[in-house]
Amino acid sequence: MMLAAIGNEGEAKLDAFLEEAVAREVLYLRFEEYRRFADAYQCPLDCSGNSSAERRVELADGRAIRFVRLNSALICSRRKDEKGNLLLGARQRVMNEAIGEELVVLTHHPLDWYADSAETKRFLRSRARVFISGHEHLAAVDVQNVEPGRDLMMLAAGATTPDSFDDTYTYAYNIIQFDWDENDDALAVTLYARAWTISHGAVPAVQWQPMTMAFSVTEDQLKGLTAGDRVSFSFRLEGGRATIVSIKK
């Protein structure tokens, strides 16, 4: 009933429930297993309706980044987990600024999944330097100029083990390097995009023509290999997913 009320009345109802201790506790009971998981990785889940922003990394003297985690699953349910129906709520759109500190904001769902996406985007543009989302796993990056000398990197994460793959949905991930540019006295972000692909000949056993395609592979299997290497490999095919069993030069 609580989720139905929020779905019908929107952000105001969500924020009203979050103001009440009992209602807030009921809402967050659904995250108990995730809370234990997050605690094990020293990333405690905020259970008050606010963002989690305790992780700070110093990059240079007096210069740092702070990772801010937003909970986009507050009203997720089988009925409401649809694009445009989710809510972050006003309580999560509170990110204090500090001199010499830049914000990196992470959330599971992309912005267009929220009913309050317009408010969230305005707030991100005024506070954050990097916004990272997942869920759809269509890897992409868009650097938006907010004002002279201030950009916002919008990063959509890929998936290392997607349920399926095609020309646009493939095995991909990113390595992000954060530095402080002393010359410009500004945050410098370097993105290393990664995807597992192999160009192979025909595979008659599964009726494949020669092509370049993605395979699921582990880091250990890739040790000693670099892009462009000629390799021999074996794989298994399960439910449309091709997984490397062995690979070598």
Side-chain angles (χ1 to χ4, degrees), residues 222-243:
L222 291 175
K223 286 181 179 178
L225 301 179
T226 59
D229 283 343
R230 293 181 63 87
V231 298
S232 59
F233 66 99
S234 63
F235 69 95
R236 65 175 181 272
L237 187 64
E238 297 176 340
R241 175 183 295 177
T243 301

Side-chain angles (χ1 to χ4, degrees), residues 10-25:
E11 181 179 275
K13 193 63 175 178
L14 170 62
D15 291 335
F17 279 136
L18 291 173
E19 290 289 343
E20 302 174 11
V22 174
R24 188 167 61 242
E25 182 177 355

Side-chain angles (χ1 to χ4, degrees), residues 11 23 27 31-32 56 59 72-73 89 101-102 146 153 159 176-179 194 200 208 211 215 220 225 231 233 239:
E11 181 179 275
L27 189 63
F31 300 102
E32 183 59 26
R56 184 179 186 273
L59 299 179
S72 64
E101 185 176 272
E102 301 288 7
V146 177
M153 174 184 281
I176 309 174
Q177 178 178 324
F178 296 98
D179 296 293
R194 294 289 185 268
H200 61 76
W208 283 353
M211 69 178 93
F215 290 82
D220 285 341
L225 301 179
V231 298
F233 66 99

Side-chain angles (χ1 to χ4, degrees), residues 187-226:
L187 178 65
V189 182
T190 305
L191 178 67
Y192 300 92
R194 294 289 185 268
W196 311 126
T197 59
I198 297 178
S199 296
H200 61 76
V203 186
V206 290
Q207 299 180 332
W208 283 353
Q209 299 297 317
M211 69 178 93
T212 299
M213 59 175 288
F215 290 82
S216 179
V217 67
T218 67
E219 289 280 359
D220 285 341
Q221 289 172 325
L222 291 175
K223 286 181 179 178
L225 301 179
T226 59

